[in-house]
C-alpha cells in the first residue's frame, strides 16, 4: 500500500525558514517523480514543485521560485521542501503527491500545516 | 500558464439526482485532464484521468468526458458520500487546478 507521510509544518514567523519532509513507503520511491501541492484554508489546490526520480528535472511554480527548494533522498525514501523567507501567503496545508511529469497525481499524503504569523 | 475554470462554484443536488460539473482550459490540454474529489479534512483523491478513465476503485457512477478545452464530470446518481469539492487538473503543461466545485445537499 502506498503511503506518504508529511512532517515539519508548524507556526513560523515571517522571514524565517522551514523544511518539510515526506516519508514514502509501499512503492519503489526511486523510480517515480514526486510533487508538492499546497492549499490555503478554504481555498483551492496549487501545484508548488516537482522533482524527477533522479533529481535531474526540477520545476517550480512562479509564485515560489527562488524561495522554495525541492529535493529528495532516494536511499531514505524521502522528499523535502525547503521554504525560505516565509510570507503570510505561504500559510497552507502542504501535500506531497506521487505523479510523473505529464501525469496526474495518483497518491497524496495527508498534509502538513504551515502557518506564517508573527 | 494554463488557466482552468470550473463551473458552477457551488452545486446543490438531491441524493439520487445527477450532477454535471464543467471545467474549461484556457488553451488545449488534449485529454490530459484529471478530476479529484476532496472531502473536509482529507487529501484529494484521484477520480478520473485521461479525461475519461476512472481511477482504481472509483464507482461507475462517476464519468468524465471532453477533450481540448472543454471537460465534464458527471455523477449519475449522487450518494451521500459524494458530497464534496471536486477539482479538475490539467497535466499537459506542468500542472494547474481549477478553483473547485462544491457539491452540496439540496
Amino acid at each position: 500500500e502506498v503511503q506518504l507521510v508529511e512532517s515539519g509544518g508548524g507556526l513560523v514567523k515571517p522571514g524565517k525558514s522551514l523544511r518539510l519532509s515526506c516519508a514514502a513507503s509501499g512503492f519503489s520511491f526511486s523510480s517515480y517523480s514526486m510533487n508538492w501541492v499546497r492549499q490555503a484554508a478554504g481555498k483551492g489546490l496549487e501545484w508548488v514543485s516537482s522533482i524527477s526520480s533522479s533529481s535531474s528535472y526540477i520545476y517550480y511554480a512562479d509564485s515560489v521560485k527562488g524561495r522554495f527548494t525541492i529535493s529528495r533522498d532516494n536511499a531514505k525514501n524521502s522528499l523535502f521542501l525547503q521554504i525560505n523567507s516565509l510570507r503570510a501567503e505561504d500559510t497552507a496545508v502542504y501535500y506531497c503527491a506521487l505523479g510523473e511529469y505529464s501525469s496526474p497525481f495518483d497518491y497524496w499524503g495527508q498534509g502538513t500545516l504551515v502557518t506564517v504569523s508573527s | 500558464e494554463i488557466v482552468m475554470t470550473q463551473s458552477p462554484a457551488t452545486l446543490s443536488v438531491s441524493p439520487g439526482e445527477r450532477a454535471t460539473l464543467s471545467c474549461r482550459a484556457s488553451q488545449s490540454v488534449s485529454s490530459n485532464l484529471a478530476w479529484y474529489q476532496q472531502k473536509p479534512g482529507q487529501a484529494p483523491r484521484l477520480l478520473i484521468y485521461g479525461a475519461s478513465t476512472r481511477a482504481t476503485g472509483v464507482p461507475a457512477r462517476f464519468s468524465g468526458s471532453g477533450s481540448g478545452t472543454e471537460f465534464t464530470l458527471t455523477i449519475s446518481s449522487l450518494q451521500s458520500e459524494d458530497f464534496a469539492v471536486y477539482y479538475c487538473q490539467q497535466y499537459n503543461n506542468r500542472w494547474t487546478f481549477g478553483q473547485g466545485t462544491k457539491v452540496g445537499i439540496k
Side-chain angles (χ1 to χ4, degrees):
Chain A
E1 178 193 4
V2 172
Q3 284 204 321
L4 300 170
V5 180
E6 302 92 337
S7 60
L11 175 61
V12 187
K13 288 181 167 47
K16 297 297 187 182
S17 298
L18 203 60
R19 190 193 198 204
L20 306 182
S21 300
C22 172
S25 61
F27 65 104
S28 180
F29 179 77
S30 61
S31 298
Y32 291 91
S33 296
M34 295 294 296
N35 309 273
W36 288 99
V37 177
R38 69 182 178 181
Q39 184 173 37
K43 303 297 184 182
L45 300 165
E46 179 187 18
W47 167 74
V48 169
S49 183
S50 293
I51 185 168
S52 63
S53 58
S54 61
S55 304
S56 298
Y57 300 96
I58 287 175
Y59 307 99
Y60 297 102
D62 289 343
S63 59
V64 306
K65 201 174 297 183
R67 294 191 302 120
F68 287 28
T69 302
I70 192 172
S71 62
R72 64 191 296 160
D73 184 339
N74 286 343
K76 296 183 178 179
N77 289 349
S78 295
L79 175 71
F80 305 103
L81 186 68
Q82 177 71 35
I83 309 175
N84 297 330
S85 303
L86 275 155
R87 305 167 179 170
E89 55 264 36
D90 296 322
T91 295
V93 174
Y94 286 74
Y95 295 101
C96 67
L98 168 61
E100 291 292 327
Y101 194 80
S102 295
S103 293
F105 298 155
D106 303 271
Y107 297 95
W108 299 62
Q110 283 306 302
T112 187
L113 175 62
V114 173
T115 303
V116 183
S117 175
S118 54
Chain B
E1 176 183 315
I2 299 175
V3 177
M4 307 301 291
T5 303
Q6 292 186 240
S7 62
T10 304
L11 189 60
S12 295
V13 185
S14 299
E17 287 190 342
R18 182 187 199 91
T20 303
L21 289 66
S22 297
C23 176
R24 174 177 292 178
S26 60
Q27 62 189 76
S28 176
V29 298
S30 186
S31 294
N32 296 315
L33 191 284
W35 291 94
Y36 297 85
Q37 177 192 66
Q38 187 178 34
K39 297 179 180 179
Q42 296 185 16
R45 169 197 177 197
L46 178 65
L47 292 178
I48 301 282
Y49 63 93
S52 61
T53 302
R54 282 188 300 277
T56 303
V58 175
R61 63 181 180 272
F62 291 92
S63 62
S65 63
S67 66
T69 62
E70 300 284 341
F71 301 88
T72 300
L73 174 69
T74 302
I75 311 171
S76 60
S77 177
L78 268 152
Q79 306 298 303
S80 57
E81 62 266 29
D82 301 335
F83 293 98
V85 179
Y86 293 83
Y87 295 95
C88 63
Q89 176 206 41
Q90 69 80 21
Y91 50 91
N92 192 63
N93 183 352
R94 299 197 178 183
W95 303 264
T96 48
F97 294 90
Q99 79 279 21
T101 291
K102 181 177 182 178
V103 177
I105 301 174
K106 187 173 183 179

